[in-house]
Amino acid sequence: DEHTDWVNDLALLTDGDLTSAVVSASSDRTIKLWRPEGETGTPSKCYTLRQHTDFVKVLGYAADAGTLASAGCDCCVVVWDVARLAPRVVIGGSEGARAHGDSIYALAVKLDGGLIATGAVDATLRLWDPRAQAAAVGSLVGHTDVVRGIAISADGGCLVSCSSDRSVKLWSIGQRRVQAELRPHSDSVFCIDVDES
């Protein structure tokens, strides 16, 4: 049940106020999903999800839609059917149709599951609609180094990204442009989140 290499990301799947599963992404090219059995001390069931052909670097989860997505060094995004423990949509699953030109290090899913944002070593962000046969719906260009983190606002109108170029950018998703840029750090910025309060 254990991973055999680095664990790169974690996600908590929720059902209301309860955690229904813990998910981990690993450099062993697998995703592990643990479902608690009930009372404290009772062993969890572990399921191994296999689709990626290289390191799995990042997970994204939209609780409102029950959408789990993963991405990594194979340059593809997998949207998982958590109930069936199988891929629902694969974005860029073939060499000629990769989601990015290089490894994907950042991923976020809009709360309703209708938009996935990815960021990669190629310094670009891409937007995807997993409901429309994984159609690309836009690109956001502005970073000059690896995109390390992405967060989408609750209303889905804004996206925040951070990068190894030391910047944090606030994007208008509808206008596909930068609204504000911050340079709060003297080195790479590895993660970001949105506080809606």
Side-chain angles (χ1 to χ4, degrees):
D1 289 345
E2 296 176 357
H3 284 294
T4 59
D5 208 333
W6 293 99
V7 173
N8 299 312
D9 203 5
L10 294 170
L12 295 176
L13 278 58
T14 56
D15 184 9
D17 291 335
L18 301 174
T19 299
S20 61
V22 175
V23 183
S24 56
S26 173
S27 291
D28 68 9
R29 297 181 288 181
T30 68
I31 295 166
K32 302 277 186 179
L33 185 142
W34 286 275
R35 292 194 189 275
E37 284 298 304
E39 296 182 31
T40 304
T42 305
S44 301
K45 284 190 178 178
C46 179
Y47 304 92
T48 302
L49 310 179
R50 300 178 194 278
Q51 178 69 33
H52 289 281
T53 59
D54 205 335
F55 299 167
V56 187
K57 298 296 284 182
V58 64
L59 298 166
Y61 179 64
D64 291 359
T67 299
L68 175 69
S70 60
C73 294
D74 58 3
C75 306
C76 76
V77 179
V78 180
V79 180
W80 296 92
D81 180 331
V82 178
R84 289 186 26 242
L85 302 173
R88 184 174 35 176
V89 176
V90 178
I91 302 168
S94 62
E95 189 66 32
R98 298 177 349 163
H100 279 270
D102 212 331
S103 300
I104 300 169
Y105 280 18
L107 180 143
V109 184
K110 187 177 164 193
L111 285 177
D112 69 3
L115 180 72
I116 294 174
T118 55
V121 172
D122 63 14
T124 63
L125 293 114
R126 298 225 170 113
L127 306 174
W128 308 93
D129 184 347
R131 302 163 301 181
Q133 299 302 310
V137 294
S139 292
L140 304 174
V141 179
H143 285 293
T144 59
D145 206 338
V146 179
V147 178
R148 297 285 184 173
I150 304 171
I152 299 174
S153 64
D155 67 5
C158 296
L159 179 146
V160 181
S161 61
C162 61
S163 168
S164 290
D165 66 11
R166 302 185 312 264
S167 73
V168 173
K169 295 184 186 294
L170 174 65
W171 304 83
S172 165
I173 292 176
Q175 296 175 353
R176 309 278 195 271
R177 65 181 183 91
V178 175
Q179 291 183 315
E181 179 176 330
L182 305 169
R183 291 195 175 267
H185 300 282
S186 59
D187 207 341
S188 297
V189 185
F190 280 87
C191 59
I192 193 104
D193 205 351
V194 177
D195 181 359
E196 299 286 340
S197 59

